[in-house]
Amino acid sequence: MKLSAIVALMMIAPIVVTGYSFVPSRWGMSSTQLKTSRTRSYLVMEDSGKESFSLKTLFGKNKSGGSTQNLRGPLEPHPSARPHIVPLNRLAARDSATSGEQLPFHPDVRSGVLDNGLPYVILPNKSPPGRFEAHLQVFSGSSDELEPQQGIAHLTEHVAYMGSRKRERLFGTGSQTNAYTDFHHTVFYAACPVRAPRGGPNMLPMALDALVDVMEARVESSRLEKERAAVLSEMTMVNTIEYRVECQILSTLHRENRLAKRFPIGKESLIRSWQNEDVRSWHRTHYRPDNVLLYLVGDIDPDEAEKAISAKFGHITAEKQAAGIKLPEIKIEAAELADAVISKSVKAAQSWHYPPVRHDWSVPKGYPIDEKLVSPAEVTGYDLHLQNSYSLDEPVNKIDITEIAPGKKIRPHMFKHELLQAFSLHIFAKRPVEPIVDMESFSRSLARRIALAALQIRLNVGGRSDDPSFTFVEFNQLDSAREGCAVCSLDMTAEPARWRDAICTSLSEIRKLGVYGVTPGEMERYASSLMTDAEQLAAQGDGISHGDQLSHLMETVANGHTFMSPEQAYHMSARALQSLTLEDVNKAAAELCSHITGLNKDSEGSEGDTIAVCCMPKNIDESSEAYCDPESLVQTIYDACQIEVEPEEDVAVPQTLIPEDELAKDVEANPPVWEGGTFTDGTPQTSAEAITRPFTLRRLGNGIRVGVARNPAESQRGHLRLVAPGGRDAEKRLGFKKGSMAIGARTMQEGGAFGPWTREQVELFCVDHLLMVEITCTEEAVTIDFVFPTTNVGNVGFGDNIQLGITGTESVLQVVREIIMGFRWEEDALGRSKQHFRSSHESLQKNLEGISTERIMETITQNDDRFLSIDVDSVNEITLEEAKLAVMSQMLPADLEISIAGDIQVEEVLDMVFNYLGSIPADTNKEFKQASADKVASSVPKIPTPGKFIQLELEDPDPRAVAYVSGSAPNSWGVLSDGTTVAERVMKADPKPKDSYDTQRRSHPLFGHVALSLISEIVNRRLFSTVRERKQLTYDANFSFSNFERLAGGWFLVTVTASKEKAQLALEACKETLAALRKTQAITADNVESAKRVVINRHEGELRTSAYWTQLMSGIQDESIPVKGPLSVTDFLKVVESITPRDLQLTLETLGLDDEDLYTAIGQTILPAGTGEIEDDVVRQAPASIGSRRGGALTG
């Protein structure tokens, strides 16, 4: 019952021209006729022969391989340009034959190659309408760097885009720009409106100009110094323990190739040393037409887009770029590397998107591997795979491969560190990426997905047993363009003392799948899930957002798969699944698990090594159960693979949790009644019968508040949010034990038994009906979020033989009803909840950012438990009865609010709500009601004055620092801790407004909320300009509000990462920026206009998601948020547009910004007692890329 999380790569500072998005998105015509090559498989440099005199002859040809002339004579060939696979992959070879029936290509995709060799892909997409994205992918990343260039790909990314004057023209247009670097590529993007605001010009040429500027980047000393400082600050910021762990994993996984030594962040000593020519030489070497790919996705005309691409990019040639390489030694070494790359690497053999590496494959015996993908460890004359030692190498304690038994080889690695609290194990096998191009390969991919889904659910259900041995486990196989292979991975964490049990449990489940396969019930369940997923995507069609379309397109093209439309994928899935057999799936399961099953002494083994990386706390005594060394790790893995396993048995899963006759009896016994919605923002009461837009708001007779909105933008999908106001504030007000509400909510998440159904049956019911559930407890409420399909799910069979189940909407309402009325509280669920909170608190103590923020919260809230983490002693004291009492005291019907949004029929959903929730008796859970219960939320403690400076030190061998500035602020709706509002204070400070419109605007219930949103954007932009750009003190500075809704008051927090040497200066710069906003550099009209574009664009974009609609509706009928009502949605755009600089300047004064009132803090690391400069069990590499996981930006 858990929602999945997602990830991001290393990117330049949060450069969003409008100051909003901090994460990269998941990626006139010339006189000659535009030439689009869609069938060539290779870019071949060749002499095009002589031609008659023309201006083109005088100034040079635009042919990638021709001998270009200019007034100074012929330009030299580019030292790195070589014939290679066209980056378009299948799009460039869509007519080539395969062994079977080819998959169809998306009919709307247009691709081609300009005369100069630059390839492009265009995909028209009107979701959202009036916007587009342009991504320029450069096929050179850190893995392409020479020995003295380590980190230069990332630095060049900063210089090329941050220094672009044409990029700056996008400021204030509602555009977002950013860039990111990884092993295999550097990507620059611009997400823009089709037209500039207020009837401005067409934005496509402007966006392309910014990307052309990247290709022709000037390297100026001032910009280089700014970006050098930013990169060095980023190096400090990203070097958390999580990234160090990932670097250890990647270094071991790719020991045989360049990726082990070429992390994007690079070497500090080199970064400090480079001059303009070093960066320019890298740029001109790699930023050439044949080494990039341009993607355009959005509300654009393909014909016009092709003309614009040709006009903007057509003049760039590899030869012109080569002329900018002024360092002779770089030319020579770059040419040698280029020769080696095209000789033996997956980049040359399979996809130009891949890094220039080889892999030691781990596959089943007899598995066919294309001989082009089998490369020797050494390439004659050149150490392409960096197996030799170099002066800049970090010394690493490599553990030899262990042949634990004949033909059974394990490549182990161990990483121990003071900041680690848990044991984690990561087991890998690397396989070649299989291009999905025909029905046969497509069917195999579906078989793998079914097998993986079955195993993951088994692991999840088993991991939530009475005594789980692991705290997290995931088994998956993903195609990874950033690594140039498919990686099969087991990621598992456990309490250190339970590491042996965790290994045995997880590996036994994997072996069970590999040996016996899936059950018929699992086959039917997960095949049906795949079909439902494909149907949902097909229903969305062009409604899938630009970002999602682009991520899928980039991933598909990179790995050589066929890019299909959602409708095509649906029809292919239906055909493939109808013919897919249990034997097909079990064969796929056997292949997936072969590196584990092959370790059994009675198996024939597998080809290659099984890679195992263990990460754990340092300084564990050898006599402890938690102690682990390489020998015991390898032996435990081997022993676990000798445990006998039995076939999985099918579980009887209910098709419905509540039979129709049972519901009918309840409806008859407790007849439901609709009542009109009532509001506190001045909106009149709504009818009990009317359907209204944009949402229908009512109450049931039992008191449950209901909001329903139709959102067709997410086809066949819905979101339901149940809110029980109270949270940790109620925990304190009602006298419950510290942490009981939060631990109780997590106990619900970990449990799931209802009525006659066991937890396992309910979890599989949720799986069958594609329900995802997340239960959280905040300071203000217990919230339960559901994501569900709105169509019939839990279906049996395919085609004409299908038997439809109930809809996802009905199934989610059944679960909601059972949570309120029939939830069974179990001790084992409480145990897992406690384990989670103990682990979270202990990890917090070893996290620099986490513990620093905690100390600030302790000080400004005067140790108010509502806003602090739950310590281990408090966690241990909570009993099941106390957790149950705390949560169920909030589950009184009269206090609950249900918001539903999605691709639904409002009347139909209201009928379901009427029956399932309206028939819940009004006195349900009355036995848990507290006599002292008070619905009115309290306030945040008044922040004491004067402020304080807090200093914190955390032991860590690596130097890091983070600084904070904090002070009082209103809550999200403009209410301060003393009960006054932003509007009241603004009008008091401006007693003689210009006209009545000022008073009218400031009296609107939404005024404070909107004003604070705009201030947040303006302050963030100012921090970036001052602290990063002008003073060059940090990579990132961020301003945020606590944004409580029910609690009165709150705080703001400025977070800035910097080196230890610059932390104090960065802190002072943040204070200076805040002070300047009030006095010397007041808010301007341009500031306000830019912030408005950001807020409006974000709001309009999020309106396409059902989750946002439920967020908007939650609290509209809640008396504890008096200014939140229907007007907060219907008047949002009008209020945003009406705000003036004067409004914001006065609103700024409601924050506690006086210097003497500010709370400031610096958290920094110090060397652990008894250690030298740096002395870990292994030497740490610089982090790879922010948030990088398998597949990087291409993760689906």
Side-chain angles (χ1 to χ4, degrees):
M1 296 170 68
K2 297 184 180 179
L3 294 172
S4 59
I6 89 131
V7 302
L9 284 176
M10 173 177 298
M11 52 183 177
I12 62 177
I15 300 312
V16 182
V17 295
T18 56
Y20 159 53
S21 176
F22 295 97
V23 183
S25 295
R26 286 18 71 268
W27 299 92
M29 193 169 178
S30 63
S31 59
T32 57
Q33 184 179 1
L34 181 65
K35 180 179 179 182
T36 58
S37 170
R38 297 189 177 91
T39 58
R40 291 185 297 175
S41 297
Y42 294 88
L43 291 175
V44 181
M45 294 185 290
E46 59 185 2
D47 186 2
S48 59
K50 298 180 180 180
E51 57 184 14
S52 59
F53 174 80
S54 67
L55 289 178
K56 185 176 178 183
T57 306
L58 181 63
F59 289 103
K61 305 172 189 175
N62 279 339
K63 296 278 186 181
S64 176
S67 59
T68 305
Q69 302 277 335
N70 64 14
L71 293 177
R72 297 181 181 179
L75 294 175
E76 296 180 1
H78 196 287
S80 292
R82 300 289 185 276
H84 63 76
I85 298 173
V86 170
L88 294 171
N89 284 339
R90 284 290 295 166
L91 291 178
R94 58 176 71 196
D95 296 326
S96 63
T98 61
S99 58
E101 179 188 353
Q102 292 191 70
L103 296 175
F105 287 87
H106 195 305
D108 297 334
V109 169
R110 186 175 298 188
S111 62
V113 182
L114 298 184
D115 285 352
N116 62 0
L118 187 144
Y120 59 87
V121 180
I122 302 169
L123 177 61
N125 175 267
K126 294 187 177 182
S127 179
R131 293 191 68 84
F132 71 91
E133 295 190 25
H135 287 229
L136 181 69
Q137 185 177 18
V138 181
F139 296 112
S140 294
S142 61
S143 63
D144 298 276
E145 293 166 345
L146 300 170
E147 189 66 14
Q149 293 179 324
Q150 295 179 63
I152 205 166
H154 180 221
L155 180 60
T156 303
E157 166 224 305
H158 277 249
V159 172
Y161 218 19
M162 291 299 298
S164 169
R165 301 293 182 265
K166 293 178 180 177
R167 172 179 164 272
E168 292 176 359
R169 291 172 55 199
L170 302 177
F171 288 15
T173 64
S175 301
Q176 293 118 31
T177 65
N178 215 324
Y180 51 99
T181 300
D182 207 332
F183 289 127
H184 62 313
H185 68 193
T186 304
V187 178
F188 304 85
Y189 75 86
C192 310
V194 170
R195 302 199 71 84
R198 309 194 186 284
N202 184 355
M203 292 291 296
L204 179 59
M206 295 173 64
L208 294 181
D209 279 340
L211 297 179
V212 170
D213 227 21
V214 167
M215 294 291 291
E216 300 178 319
R218 294 177 296 174
V219 182
E220 300 170 339
S221 297
S222 59
R223 176 52 62 185
L224 175 59
E225 292 311 314
K226 284 184 179 180
E227 299 313 314
R228 191 198 314 274
V231 168
L232 291 171
S233 175
E234 182 180 3
M235 178 177 282
T236 299
M237 183 190 78
V238 302
N239 197 25
T240 64
I241 187 59
E242 292 81 12
Y243 298 121
R244 293 178 230 176
V245 165
E246 184 154 14
C247 289
Q248 295 300 317
I249 292 170
L250 290 170
S251 294
T252 305
L253 178 59
H254 300 297
R255 184 188 293 181
E256 73 275 16
N257 65 50
R258 298 175 69 84
L259 303 188
K261 295 184 180 181
R262 290 290 188 267
F263 290 95
I265 202 69
K267 305 288 187 181
E268 182 177 348
S269 61
L270 293 176
I271 294 169
R272 292 186 182 278
S273 71
W274 291 320
Q275 302 303 311
N276 290 7
E277 283 304 329
D278 298 298
V279 175
R280 186 178 295 110
S281 292
W282 167 269
H283 179 275
R284 300 300 193 264
T285 299
H286 297 277
Y287 287 58
R288 58 183 199 272
D290 73 290
N291 198 45
V292 302
L293 176 55
L294 177 67
Y295 290 93
L296 283 180
V297 176
D299 192 359
I300 51 179
D301 178 88
D303 293 332
E304 294 301 318
E306 280 194 312
K307 292 177 183 179
I309 293 168
S310 179
K312 298 294 184 181
F313 288 90
H315 67 282
I316 304 171
T317 68
E319 292 81 9
K320 288 180 181 178
Q321 299 296 82
I325 307 173
K326 303 299 185 183
L327 302 176
E329 65 276 15
I330 294 297
K331 283 188 176 183
I332 296 171
E333 291 188 47
E336 291 176 347
L337 175 60
D339 288 335
V341 167
I342 63 170
S343 61
K344 286 292 183 180
S345 72
V346 294
K347 184 182 184 77
Q350 192 166 20
S351 175
W352 200 247
H353 296 247
Y354 292 171
V357 297
R358 64 174 292 273
H359 293 292
D360 289 339
W361 305 115
S362 178
V363 296
K365 291 282 189 182
Y367 186 89
I369 298 179
D370 190 326
E371 62 180 14
K372 293 185 297 184
L373 300 179
V374 181
S375 303
E378 297 181 5
V379 177
T380 304
Y382 192 86
D383 185 19
L384 174 63
H385 307 301
L386 301 182
Q387 296 303 288
N388 298 331
S389 297
Y390 297 90
S391 59
L392 292 172
D393 286 354
E394 304 279 5
V396 177
N397 294 333
K398 289 186 178 179
I399 304 172
D400 292 337
I401 296 173
T402 302
E403 187 167 16
I404 192 73
K408 322 288 184 186
K409 294 186 292 183
I410 298 175
R411 182 198 299 180
H413 182 71
M414 302 202 73
F415 175 55
K416 300 181 180 181
H417 197 281
E418 297 88 347
L419 298 185
L420 290 173
Q421 294 296 306
F423 170 93
S424 68
L425 178 67
H426 313 271
I427 296 181
F428 301 103
K430 295 199 284 187
R431 280 105 189 223
V433 172
E434 179 187 16
I436 301 171
V437 298
D438 53 27
M439 282 298 292
E440 186 177 349
S441 54
F442 185 62
S443 294
R444 284 195 295 270
S445 72
L446 294 180
R448 284 193 293 270
R449 290 174 64 185
I450 291 171
L452 287 168
L455 178 56
Q456 189 58 53
I457 295 302
R458 291 183 191 179
L459 290 168
N460 285 350
V461 173
R464 294 147 76 86
S465 61
D466 292 350
D467 186 26
S469 56
F470 41 70
T471 55
F472 169 82
V473 63
E474 182 178 67
F475 185 87
N476 207 348
Q477 179 168 302
L478 293 173
D479 296 339
S480 174
R482 70 191 295 254
E483 294 157 286
C485 61
V487 181
C488 186
S489 59
L490 167 70
D491 297 294
M492 178 265 291
T493 60
E495 296 294 326
R498 302 285 309 273
W499 70 269
R500 285 183 173 84
D501 291 341
I503 290 176
C504 291
T505 302
S506 56
L507 294 190
S508 292
E509 286 293 346
I510 295 170
R511 286 194 62 247
K512 186 192 297 183
L513 180 76
V515 173
Y516 297 109
V518 304
T519 67
E522 289 174 326
M523 169 78 175
E524 186 175 272
R525 174 176 301 121
Y526 303 118
S528 176
S529 296
L530 288 179
M531 200 63 246
T532 301
D533 186 54
E535 183 181 0
Q536 288 180 346
L537 291 174
Q540 283 186 272
D542 289 341
I544 300 173
S545 70
H546 299 162
D548 290 342
Q549 286 272 30
L550 188 57
S551 294
H552 180 50
L553 176 62
M554 292 177 72
E555 175 188 13
T556 302
V557 172
N559 289 303
H561 305 321
T562 297
F563 183 68
M564 297 184 285
S565 70
E567 185 176 358
Q568 290 169 330
Y570 167 72
H571 290 299
M572 293 300 104
S573 296
R575 287 182 53 194
L577 290 172
Q578 286 184 42
S579 61
L580 198 65
T581 66
L582 186 64
E583 289 71 23
D584 294 332
V585 173
N586 289 343
K587 180 181 178 181
E591 291 178 353
L592 286 167
C593 305
S594 60
H595 60 300
I596 302 297
T597 57
L599 293 175
N600 181 267
K601 58 183 175 57
D602 296 325
S603 76
E604 63 175 348
S606 61
E607 302 284 354
D609 307 332
T610 297
I611 302 164
V613 183
C614 163
C615 304
M616 60 187 302
K618 197 174 182 180
N619 301 322
I620 295 177
D621 189 89
E622 292 187 22
S623 62
S624 169
E625 288 184 341
Y627 180 76
C628 179
D629 57 26
E631 292 75 20
S632 59
L633 175 67
V634 170
Q635 189 63 51
T636 300
I637 292 173
Y638 180 72
D639 290 344
C641 292
Q642 314 313 311
I643 297 172
E644 291 293 328
V645 292
E646 298 293 332
E648 185 80 359
E649 293 185 3
D650 268 328
V651 176
V653 181
Q655 291 296 306
T656 179
L657 296 177
I658 303 172
E660 289 184 15
D661 57 343
E662 182 179 318
L663 179 63
K665 290 178 182 178
D666 286 344
V667 169
E668 183 178 357
N670 303 286
V673 176
W674 279 124
E675 297 177 357
T678 58
F679 317 101
T680 53
D681 70 337
T683 301
Q685 178 173 324
T686 58
S687 165
E689 303 298 331
I691 304 296
T692 56
R693 293 183 179 180
F695 33 52
T696 298
L697 304 168
R698 299 178 184 173
R699 297 193 187 203
L700 288 163
N702 55 19
I704 296 178
R705 300 158 178 82
V706 177
V708 179
R710 173 168 166 73
N711 174 40
E714 292 186 322
S715 295
Q716 300 188 5
R717 297 184 184 182
H719 193 106
L720 183 150
R721 169 169 285 192
L722 184 156
V723 177
R728 297 203 65 194
D729 177 59
E731 177 185 283
K732 182 176 182 178
R733 282 190 289 109
L734 301 179
F736 293 119
K737 276 189 179 179
K738 174 183 176 180
S740 56
M741 192 75 72
I743 291 170
R746 181 74 189 192
T747 301
M748 267 191 160
Q749 175 83 62
E750 296 290 341
F754 305 144
W757 310 115
T758 66
R759 175 185 57 82
E760 185 177 13
Q761 287 176 310
V762 173
E763 288 197 351
L764 291 177
F765 173 86
C766 290
V767 170
D768 282 359
H769 294 81
L770 304 182
L771 308 184
M772 290 188 289
V773 189
E774 185 173 48
I775 305 175
T776 57
C777 176
T778 66
E779 296 90 343
E780 302 182 287
V782 173
T783 302
I784 309 179
D785 283 294
F786 298 84
V787 178
F788 59 92
T790 57
T791 53
N792 295 88
V793 283
N795 305 328
V796 179
F798 297 98
D800 295 336
N801 298 320
I802 193 170
Q803 297 178 9
L804 297 178
I806 62 174
T807 65
T809 312
E810 187 170 3
S811 63
V812 80
L813 287 170
Q814 290 184 353
V815 173
V816 170
R817 178 186 171 91
E818 290 299 313
I819 286 177
I820 298 171
M821 294 186 65
F823 189 84
R824 295 214 316 257
W825 292 78
E826 299 173 323
E827 283 288 351
D828 62 301
L830 175 68
R832 292 190 294 275
S833 174
K834 287 184 169 184
Q835 185 182 56
H836 166 80
F837 280 98
R838 283 192 294 264
S839 177
S840 296
H841 185 76
E842 290 168 353
S843 296
L844 179 72
Q845 309 308 308
K846 296 293 186 178
N847 180 282
L848 181 63
E849 291 80 4
I851 194 62
S852 299
T853 305
E854 181 88 345
R855 292 292 175 268
I856 294 172
M857 292 302 103
E858 289 173 352
T859 306
I860 67 175
T861 68
Q862 303 168 68
N863 289 301
D864 192 321
D865 289 338
R866 293 176 296 173
F867 310 104
L868 305 177
S869 67
I870 308 168
D871 63 273
V872 172
D873 289 341
S874 297
V875 170
N876 291 337
E877 288 180 4
I878 302 298
T879 66
L880 182 65
E881 191 59 31
E882 289 166 341
K884 175 182 177 180
L885 179 60
V887 173
M888 297 310 295
S889 72
Q890 308 302 293
M891 291 292 168
L892 308 178
D895 296 339
L896 300 179
E897 185 175 37
I898 304 284
S899 302
I900 306 172
D903 185 14
I904 56 177
Q905 296 299 320
V906 173
E907 297 89 340
E908 183 180 299
V909 171
L910 287 171
D911 285 344
M912 291 186 197
V913 170
F914 185 74
N915 290 319
Y916 278 107
L917 304 185
S919 59
I920 296 175
D923 60 356
T924 297
N925 298 324
K926 64 180 181 180
E927 65 272 25
F928 301 107
K929 184 175 181 178
Q930 300 300 294
S932 58
D934 182 359
K935 289 186 179 181
V936 179
S938 51
S939 62
V940 172
K942 186 179 186 324
I943 296 179
T945 55
K948 294 180 180 179
F949 172 70
I950 305 164
Q951 190 155 11
L952 178 136
E953 295 179 333
L954 178 69
E955 289 189 349
D956 182 353
D958 281 11
R960 299 183 67 238
V962 60
Y964 299 90
V965 180
S966 185
S968 63
N971 72 5
S972 178
W973 295 98
V975 181
L976 289 95
S977 60
D978 63 1
T980 61
T981 68
V982 165
E984 291 169 350
R985 292 200 180 187
V986 166
M987 288 189 282
K988 183 178 180 181
D990 194 17
K992 296 182 179 180
K994 289 183 179 179
D995 51 42
S996 61
Y997 182 57
D998 279 346
T999 302
Q1000 180 184 356
R1001 179 179 66 254
R1002 294 168 181 173
S1003 299
H1004 194 286
L1006 202 51
F1007 175 80
H1009 178 73
V1010 168
L1012 293 168
S1013 298
L1014 293 170
I1015 281 177
S1016 180
E1017 300 300 333
I1018 291 169
V1019 175
N1020 271 308
R1021 184 66 212 177
R1022 287 288 185 91
L1023 285 170
F1024 177 82
S1025 299
T1026 302
V1027 186
R1028 185 194 191 278
E1029 287 286 276
R1030 182 160 62 85
K1031 294 182 176 289
Q1032 302 174 32
L1033 294 172
T1034 183
Y1035 167 77
D1036 184 24
N1038 176 258
F1039 175 92
S1040 62
F1041 288 114
S1042 51
N1043 279 330
F1044 297 123
E1045 287 201 298
R1046 294 170 178 82
L1047 294 173
W1051 53 80
F1052 68 84
L1053 186 67
V1054 178
T1055 306
V1056 57
T1057 56
S1059 65
K1060 292 176 66 173
E1061 297 77 18
K1062 294 182 178 180
Q1064 186 65 46
L1065 293 173
L1067 188 151
E1068 294 300 326
C1070 291
K1071 292 172 61 179
E1072 174 190 317
T1073 303
L1074 296 175
L1077 270 168
R1078 302 175 69 195
K1079 299 174 183 176
T1080 60
Q1081 295 178 319
I1083 296 171
T1084 68
D1086 285 344
N1087 296 154
V1088 178
E1089 187 64 25
S1090 179
K1092 286 179 180 179
R1093 299 280 72 76
V1094 176
V1095 170
I1096 290 172
N1097 286 338
R1098 179 171 62 215
H1099 175 72
E1100 291 180 341
E1102 289 181 338
L1103 282 175
R1104 299 183 63 80
T1105 68
S1106 299
Y1108 187 57
W1109 276 103
T1110 63
Q1111 178 185 328
L1112 293 175
M1113 288 187 289
S1114 295
I1116 280 182
Q1117 302 184 71
D1118 187 349
E1119 296 84 354
S1120 65
I1121 316 177
V1123 297
K1124 186 175 184 180
L1127 296 179
S1128 65
V1129 178
T1130 59
D1131 288 3
F1132 182 82
L1133 296 180
K1134 290 189 293 185
V1135 175
V1136 171
E1137 292 288 9
S1138 71
I1139 298 293
T1140 68
R1142 177 67 173 161
D1143 292 333
L1144 298 187
Q1145 203 68 53
L1146 293 172
T1147 299
L1148 200 62
E1149 294 304 311
T1150 66
L1151 277 58
L1153 291 173
D1154 290 340
D1155 190 67
E1156 63 270 19
D1157 294 340
L1158 293 175
Y1159 280 76
T1160 58
I1162 293 179
Q1164 59 184 346
T1165 59
I1166 58 172
L1167 286 174
T1171 62
E1173 278 299 305
I1174 293 181
E1175 224 175 283
D1176 275 338
D1177 286 4
V1178 295
V1179 176
R1180 293 170 302 283
Q1181 295 270 9
S1185 55
I1186 299 176
S1188 59
R1189 296 293 297 166
R1190 191 94 307 101
L1194 305 181
T1195 300

